[in-house]
Amino acid sequence: MDSSTIVMLAIFIPFIFAFLVPVASKLLKQRIGWFAVAIALLTLFLILKITPIIVHGDTIYGEIVWLPTAGLTFNVYADGLSVLIGLLASGIGVIIMTYSNGYMSTKEDLPRYYQYLLLFMGSMIGMVFSANTIQLFIFWELTSFTSFMLIGYWNDKPESIYGATKALVLTAIGGLVMLAGFLLLQVITGTFDIPTILHDESMIQAIHGHELFLITLVLIFIGAAAKSAQGPFYIWLPNAMEAPTPVSAFLHSATMVKAGIYLVARIHPLFAGTDAWFILVSGTGMITMVVAGFLAFRQTDIKAILAYSTISQLAYIMTMYGYTTYHEPGIGVAAATFHLVNHATFKASLFLVAGIVAHEAATRDIRKLGGLRKEMPLTFIIACIGAFAMAGLPPFNGFLSKEMFYESSLEMGVALGSPFTLLIPAIAVMGGVLTFAYSIKFIDGIFFGRRQTRGLPEHIHDPPAVMLIPAAFLAALVILFGLFPSIPVHAVVEPTTAGIIREDVELHIKMWHGFTTPLMMTIITFMIGLGVYTKYGAIAAWQDRFNLRYPKISVNYYYDLLVQNAQASARTISSITQPGTVKTYMSALILTVVVLVGIPIILLGADIIPQSLNFDIAVYEVLIMLFMVIAGIAAALLPAYLPAIIALSALGYLVSLLFIYLKAPDLALTQILVETLSTIIFLLVIVKMPQKFRESIPTTTLVRDLIIAGAVASTVFIILINATQGIIPPFESLSHYFIENSITLAGGRNVVNVIIVDFRGYDTLGEISVLCVAAFGVYNLIHSRGNKT
Amino acid sequence: MKRYLYYSIPLGIMWCFVHGTVSIQNFLFGLLLGPVVIRPFRELYDFDQELSFKREVRKIPKQIIYFLVLIMEITKASIMVSKIVISPKIDIKPGIIAVPLRTRTNGGITAIANTITLTPGTLTIDVADDRSVLYVHSIDASYPESIRMSIRDDLERFVLEAFE
Amino acid sequence: MNNTFLSLTIAILFGIGTFLILRRDIVKVIIGLGILSHAVNVLIVSVGIFDGTRVPILAGSYNEAETTGSVFNDNLAEDILSPVVQAGTHIDYVDPLVQALVLTAIVISLATTAFILILAYRIHEEYGTTDIRELRRLWG
Amino acid sequence: MSFIISALNVLSTAVLVIGLIFVFLGMLGLLRLPDVYNRLHATTKVATLGAFGVMASIVLNVGFTPIGIKAITVGLFLLLTAPIASHMIGRAARRHGVELCAESVIDEYIIAGETD
Amino acid sequence: MIILTDHLPILLIAIPILSSMVMVFLKGSPVLQKNLNVFIYFCLVILAIMLLQKVWTGGIMVYEVGEWGKYGIILVADLLSSGMVLLTLGISFLSLIYSLDYIEERSLNSTYHSLFNLLVAGLNGSFLTGDIFNLFVFFEVLLLSSCGLVIANEKVGVTRSSDKMEATFKYLILSMLGSIVMLIAVASLYATVGTLNMADIAVKVSASSAAGTLPWHVFAIALLFIVVFGNKAAIFPLHYWLPDVHPTAPSPISAMLSGVLIKIGVYGMLRVFFLIFRDVLPMFQPIIILMALATIVVGAVSAVGQTDIKRMLAYSSIGQIGYIFLGIGMGSALTIAASLVYLVNHAVAKSMLFLTSGGIIHHAGTRDMYRMGGMIKSAPLMASMFLVGAMSISGIPPMGGFIAKFVLFKAGIQEEYYIPVAIAILFALFTLFYMMRAWMKMFWGTVNDSERQGNATPHAPALLMAIPIIILALIIVVLGLYAEPLLALAQATAEQIVDPQPYIDAVLTRNVR
Amino acid sequence: MNLLIFSLTFMVLAIIPCIYRIVKGPTIPDRVVAMDAMNTVIVVMLGVYSFVQGSVFFMDVALVLSILSFVGTVTISKYLDEGVVL
Amino acid sequence: MTTLITKTITKICLPLVILFSISLLLAGHNNPGGGFIGGVMFASIISLVYVVFGLRYTTAFFNPDWSRWLASGLALASVTAFAAIPAGHNFFRSAVEFIHLPVIGEIELVSAALFDVGVYFVVIGTLLFILKNVGEDT
Ligand code: NA
Ligand code: NA
């Protein structure tokens, strides 16, 4: 099989089988989870099958014709980076789905759960293997959406709904902004194809030199930051913890949040090497790292600790990708990539531990937990491995990547010079200190201290194997990668790095590399970290005071302000813009006419008055017109209905008289008939109404309405005196034809009637349809009293 | 059937008049069309009552006389009202008077009411439900009795002859 | 026809109609619509393009010409009957097309007016008032 | 024969003018007379006669051509319906509660429903 | 031998008219009436497909009603009009099926079928006509028939009849003002160029524009046409009637109104501005773009504020119309093609959402989303269907709405309208937000039984209501996964729109008897 | 032609009182009378017009107007009298 | 209730106006008139009958289903327009035919006149349908 076909299969298989889950669950009942595991395994197998090609240093490309008109093909591209994330997604997918078989109660809606998980996995794989930005965006939004569905899995809980909304709002906002960035990128490069850009040095030069460079970068980076919960967008991730714990482990720590990192890595070749890149990426990363680290330390919910720690760990990675501007890119990218792998392993294992603890102890509150190490020894060991790796203790893999982080921070500081020489390493150490502190807190809070009895089950023990083995497997990987870093490094980190910096790299990562500055920094980290941990009480008290005093210094405050109050505030706006009074609406329409037509009138000034005006008219004609105006004014001013109707009717008869002078007997006839009929209907209608309605018009209203009326009259007058200047010279009217051919072709002398029933009889067909419609409509009106609820 | 024939002739004439051309074809056409037109409304046209052609035909000359008298009376009335209208100061003594009737048929009452309206100084306002009294507005109601007398003696006589 | 006084009258009627549709009373609003549709009908006729003096009802008829009479015969016209109407005589007629258009417009406005009047009747029934400011159950 | 025709022409023009004057006087009455009942006298009698006269003059002029026939129809129709219209208006006015003018001397009208 | 396909355009208009009268005679036998009308619509859909196919392969089709050439009324089926007709009939067909279980029996038997058929006749007539006054006439047909349908009674009446009256009044009165403006515009145009045939007008306006003899008031007329079609399409500030009418109408009619009826304004805009005023178009583009953007903003913000599900959908329609107008305002073949794709997707998705909301209202007995909740368990079909529609409207892949938004934004950026596209993208977020919030309010959370109104008992939607929804959902997904035919059609249509010469040639180079 | 202009001007002047009564009333029946009278004047004008122009078309209009004027007057009167129309 | 004299005059007007409306309908092609004008004349005289005799009294003996009138009218109009298609022409193509009859002479038959008859019935049906429905309601 063609390797690109394999990639496509890896994308489609989860989707196809996700839609088969409901069917399969009819057969498998509670064991549907194993079906999902099998699919995930199959996907993992497919990706593993192409891994050797990538490790060898090649890339894979394949395409299917999709939407040629829109300039889109369905194409896949596999290099080190995509295979790395692909392996994470499918590999951790296998582990999580296995674990879920123990974690999820059989009373739950399992088909829906596994369906979403498979859809998510497919989207994630589709996203990383997408060879064009639009396809990437499509899968990106799908991951957001499946994430939304999974966070809201327990959809009757208000917290779930809140968390799901938040995640969707922020990640989807990011996604759309990113789409805008991609569109601009297409403007710059002329293509959506990622490999095309990556493999074309001149295009990258063009990007760097383009005036849209900064805005494009910012837009795309916002997408990445939102997805990876960086910067102000971090707030969705803690609330996402309302999802079932396996979901949190899978989506919100190991894979989906890595999508943002993936994107940063993916666009690295396009934008890196500029000040903007460093400030944006590393700046966001460093701030996030410290803030999230601090918040993680302060949490009492064990999943919340992990959530904030995820944010801070992702910030490490982000920071390192940003560093590459000013020093040798290989180190930073490799360190970031390596930490990405390591984080996936230890954080997923910690989440599984948290899930086990919550599952067995029925609480996630660290204040209620404690002293569980004897009752759950195996869980305790796994937790220690994960937490120590996170804290950066040797000999676990976290130590290695953290050392690389310190090392690159140092180099960065040096490269930037004073005052950054110390500042950047200091910030890095600060991040490390906080990480150390919350890692210790996690272990200490759950497994050490006093075993509480109140609110906890009597017997707490290690979980069944189906939950323990996945966690243990991940812990084993932590140790394995720590002791033998060359395994992941050769398999994925090097090809990934090579793909990003577009040159071959060879990394030599060892546990012991002498008493170097980074090691000193590590030791300092541990010491301060311990100190900080012991001062937990004081720090907590300080933060509580701070929160009380400055409640507005919080992103969540503004999110809630905007989103939670969105309905009410939008309602306020819409009740102003849509006040419900017909008069406003009509005024809007009338004013639109007046203003729009006023534009050319004002622009043209006096030129709007045509050269020749015709004032030649008989006295009696003037009188008739005067009567019309008087009747109209009477209809307007008479307060009682009947006199006003009579005046309107008189106006109608005068109009028919005018039609006589305009040589239109058919019109006069019709006008007379219609006038009388309308009067009868008027009378019918006012039968039940009060006889008059005396409206006292306030002066301001009167003036305003008179101005509007005057404006309308002027507009009509100006258009009319111009329009009656006659047809544009060389052209002739259609009407000559009618007069010439009325008798000969249609056999009638009354040209008007002939037009109505023959030349334009089709209009009349429409006209009598209107009449029928009015009849039926009136019937409906009269018989619409059914619902008075 | 008799009624159809009775109505068909005036309807034939009517058709000629509304059509604007008096010709034998038109009359025949109207003759055929007319009864069809009033067929749905036979409830209104006393189709269940007895009818004597002879009597109806005999009335025609008297109806013509009545019509001429009517025109003359209208002219007199108009001149009278016109005088009032163009006089510099309008000096009138109007009022509503009840006039007892002898006539009882629809046609008779209608004819007399219309006649009253069109003749000097008087205007039918209403007819009592039992058809016994006409209420008449007179532009000069100084002598109600004389008005009652003139209506009974002059007008009603013509009407009774022409329409009953 | 395309007389400035007529244009002015039409414009004033438009002004009156506009003033009326901005009133509070539903009946007044509908009267305003009535005035507007009168105005627009006269407007259409007034833009009729040629300054004829005669009603567009022609003299002469089929009967005057000797015809064989045949359904759907295109040639009938040109060959036999064209002498009936002399070339150029049309100049004296007013524009028939605008009249036909206005006829259609009048009928349509009759239908619409009937509908909206009965709608007003129902609104009065539902709301117990003819004040359209009370028609504010739907807003926001 | 031509004498008759020209005599008819003169007659018809005279009748036309008289008719027009009557119509005008009727309208003047509408303006000047004190209450609706008296105004009805003016419009119903004077104006109707005027209209009838105009129609008659047309018939005198054109004879039994379509115009003439239609003129007869119009004239007769007016003669037939004008009294009814004024009767309806007068009755409605009286029952609607329009008072007779101050100059009125007598009111014998009994509204059907009000006797009991 | 009668060749039926020669008469396709008129059949699509005249058959609904004739059949609406047949429905009156069949009042007494409702079953026959229903079946016959469904059958008629099935045939009409087939005819519409045939028409589109014929136009696609054979080029623009001109049908002279009465064989009077440009002196009479001409029907023109180009890709735009035949495409719109197919869209109309497709949605009408499904709405009709839906109505059979949704509309109260008496309303359904006595007037509903007739009015519905006349509405469709009005729509098809408007799309197909080549005559500007005839366009007015058919506008009136569809205006009044839609008013009549808005007040038709529903089986589960949660909408007060007073609301229907109020909404209809606002709709009708604003539309009547629009009609008056249109008459002024049409009459003035006729007075200036002496013809009503749109192709003929176009030729004359272009010629005099080239010769420099075009009077200035033609611009004023063009601006009047913006008001006319803007009013039909409900673009700001002419949108006020829409949020009242669309929610109060019975759901199948809401689907017709939002799905098809407001598109008539879009159609008119494309037809009139790109045919008649094409030489002076650049002057109007900024106005259209500004109005479109304002429409997007107003629609999006107001939709966020709603608690009534159908009212929210109505505001959403306003916003979405803004997007469509944005594409028109940007005025190139690309952006117009994008607008058309958007139009189709919105039509399908919004009709589907309104139909679904009808089912939801049947189920919940209220239109207030904030009083619903937890219905995902009791109404899973409605939940998933609404989600599909909501995703499509919000532009979430893989639904059709995404493709629409994508092509629109892409085309806009290609034409270098950065700021308008940025605003459009920003407010697309609002769409996502209110749609998903609505979905969560209705289907997540807890069931709120005590709030349920008395007259409605929860029940599964009737079969005839479910089928159209499912079909529309399938179309949405198909439009997302494989939009190529639509894109190609839109592209070809847009090219026809921006280059109207073939249209003019087809209309004017005919033998006139 | 002079006859036409004379007649028409004369009749148009005759409309002035009608318009006055329609506007000023004072009672509703006054307005109805005025309306009816105005229609009579218009009928006369149509008759004259038809006669002078020699075309029957306007006489048709006159007949229609006299019929419709009657219908309208009767309807309004009934409404005034009884408060109902049909 | 209206008075006796009004009713009597209405009885005279009724056939007159109906005949006039038919005359207008038939004359329409060559003179002012036609389906719409004739139809409204018809409708207005029927409405006068409704007014003068009362809707309830009238419908007791004269109560057609006006919706069927309008339906037949529109159906007739569209069928007339359709009739050209079987003859190999376009929709709404009109036809003119002369018939020589012994007594009446030459009659001009125009397909458009048939269409006008359709209009006539639509107008009558619509207006009276509306009046009757609303009248019964008030
Ligand atoms: Na603890
Ligand atoms: Na006609």
Side-chain angles (χ1 to χ4, degrees), chain E residues 1-2 6-7 10-11 14-15 17-18 20-22 24-28 63-68 111 118 513, chain G residues 65 67-76 78-79 82 84-94 122 129:
Chain E
M1 179 60 204
I2 312 156
D6 287 346
H7 300 284
I10 193 69
L11 290 179
I15 289 178
I17 293 180
L18 189 58
S20 75
M21 294 302 117
V22 173
V24 175
F25 288 111
L26 292 181
K27 267 195 301 207
Y63 188 87
E64 296 173 0
V65 179
E67 299 178 11
W68 295 111
T111 55
L118 285 172
R513 70 167 178 170
Chain G
D65 182 353
S67 69
R68 280 177 194 272
W69 282 53
L70 71 91
S72 0
L74 190 49
L76 176 63
S78 38
V79 165
F82 262 122
I85 292 182
H89 281 276
N90 273 5
F91 188 77
F92 238 113
R93 174 73 147 88
S94 58
V122 171
F129 184 78

Side-chain angles (χ1 to χ4, degrees), chain D residues 1 9 13 25-26 29 50 55 58 62-63 65 78 86 103 107:
Chain D
M1 200 61 193
N9 269 344
T13 311
L25 289 177
M55 296 304 154
I58 294 168
V62 300
T65 59
L78 284 177
S86 65
E103 294 91 336
D107 186 3

Side-chain angles (χ1 to χ4, degrees), chain A residues 366-367 369-370 445:
Chain A
I366 204 158
R367 290 166 299 190
L369 294 164

Side-chain angles (χ1 to χ4, degrees), chain A residues 75-201:
Chain A
N75 49 9
V76 292
Y77 175 69
D79 62 355
L81 182 62
S82 27
V83 168
L84 167 63
I85 311 279
L87 282 174
L88 277 182
S90 52
I92 297 190
V94 172
I95 293 166
I96 294 299
M97 288 184 214
T98 310
Y99 176 86
S100 296
N101 278 305
Y103 183 85
M104 294 301 282
S105 154
T106 50
K107 285 177 203 139
E108 298 280 359
D109 186 0
L110 292 178
R112 185 160 61 94
Y113 177 79
Y114 287 108
Q115 192 174 24
Y116 290 157
L117 278 184
L118 284 177
L119 282 177
F120 167 75
M121 196 177 79
S123 316
M124 196 67 200
I125 292 167
M127 198 267 291
V128 295
F129 288 116
S130 288
N132 70 66
T133 49
I134 300 309
Q135 194 180 322
L136 188 151
F137 168 79
I138 292 174
F139 286 113
W140 179 280
E141 291 296 72
L142 279 177
T143 60
S144 300
F145 227 79
T146 42
S147 157
F148 161 77
M149 286 301 188
L150 284 166
I151 297 169
Y153 179 73
W154 286 308
N155 54 43
D156 42 2
K157 279 166 54 188
E159 298 84 9
S160 299
I161 299 175
Y162 178 80
T165 312
K166 209 173 195 178
L168 184 70
V169 166
L170 290 169
T171 55
I173 284 182
L176 274 167
V177 172
M178 179 185 83
L179 177 65
F182 287 159
L183 288 170
L184 286 181
L185 190 61
Q186 194 259 354
V187 171
I188 300 171
T189 60
T191 180
F192 292 119
D193 258 20
I194 296 168
T196 310
I197 304 173
L198 288 179
H199 296 141
D200 188 342
E201 193 57 40

Side-chain angles (χ1 to χ4, degrees), chain A residues 404-421:
Chain A
M404 292 167 83
F405 174 54
Y406 283 169
E407 188 184 339
S408 53
S409 297
L410 275 171
E411 283 183 30
M412 195 66 218
V414 172
L416 286 175
S418 178
F420 297 101
T421 322

Side-chain angles (χ1 to χ4, degrees), chain A residues 571 574-575 578-583 585-587 590 613-617 622 625 628-629 632-633 635-639 641 644-645 648 651-652 655 658-659 662-667 670-671 674-675 677-678 681-682 684-686 688-690 693 695-697 701-702 705-706 708-709 712-713 716-717 720-721 723-727 733-736 738-740 742-752 755-756 760 763 767 770-771 774 777-778 781-782 784-785 788, chain C residues 1-16 18-31 34-36 38 41-43 45-47 49-50 52-62 73-74 76-78 81-91 93-122 124-126 129-133 135-136 138-140:
Chain A
R571 180 77 181 176
S574 70
S575 56
Q578 184 86 14
T581 46
V582 193
K583 182 175 170 176
Y585 303 168
M586 287 192 288
S587 312
I590 294 165
L613 291 176
N614 173 12
F615 295 102
D616 175 30
I617 195 165
V622 174
M625 291 174 200
M628 282 168 65
V629 170
I633 292 173
L637 298 183
L638 290 171
Y641 288 155
I645 291 168
L648 177 67
L651 173 61
V655 168
L658 189 66
F659 283 147
L662 295 173
K663 312 287 184 304
D666 283 278
L667 282 186
T670 311
Q671 179 65 40
V674 165
E675 201 48 56
L677 258 295
S678 330
I681 298 171
F682 251 114
L684 265 179
V685 163
I686 62 169
K688 282 190 181 170
M689 290 184 183
F693 183 99
E695 178 185 359
S696 58
I697 310 172
T701 315
L702 183 69
D705 290 352
L706 283 176
I708 293 176
V712 169
V716 170
F717 184 67
L720 198 51
I721 55 173
T724 48
Q725 287 303 302
I727 194 163
S733 167
L734 288 187
S735 298
H736 299 296
F738 299 132
I739 290 180
E740 279 161 17
S742 173
I743 292 180
T744 50
L745 294 185
R749 290 189 292 123
N750 182 351
V751 185
V752 177
I755 292 174
I756 281 185
R760 294 181 68 89
D763 265 351
E767 167 201 316
V770 174
L771 282 174
V778 167
L781 274 174
I782 296 294
S784 62
R785 295 202 184 80
K788 283 209 167 165
Chain C
M1 260 218 243
N2 43 13
N3 192 285
T4 309
F5 284 111
L6 183 55
S7 302
L8 190 64
T9 311
I10 294 164
I12 292 172
L13 287 179
F14 263 101
I16 297 170
T18 309
F19 180 76
L20 271 179
I21 59 168
L22 297 176
R23 300 278 57 80
R24 273 166 56 190
D25 180 13
I26 200 164
V27 176
K28 276 290 158 69
V29 171
I30 296 172
I31 290 176
I35 293 179
L36 283 178
H38 285 322
N41 291 338
V42 181
L43 182 144
V45 181
S46 81
V47 302
I49 319 179
F50 26 103
T53 57
R54 293 175 61 187
V55 174
I57 297 177
L58 310 172
S61 77
Y62 252 149
N73 186 351
D74 280 332
L76 182 80
E78 280 80 359
L81 288 169
S82 38
V84 171
V85 181
Q86 303 293 315
T89 51
H90 63 253
I91 298 301
Y93 293 101
V94 298
D95 191 343
L97 181 56
V98 289
Q99 296 189 15
L101 301 186
V102 172
L103 274 179
T104 307
I106 292 178
V107 178
I108 286 173
S109 83
L110 169 69
T112 326
T113 310
F115 186 88
I116 201 167
L117 272 170
I118 291 150
L119 184 58
Y121 160 78
R122 288 283 290 115
H124 174 255
E125 196 172 79
E126 298 277 352
T129 174
T130 56
D131 187 350
I132 55 171
R133 286 203 310 193
L135 260 69
R136 286 196 70 227
L138 302 173
W139 56 275

Side-chain angles (χ1 to χ4, degrees), chain D residues 14 39 42 56 85 89 92 98:
Chain D
R39 287 173 199 140
I89 299 169
V98 176

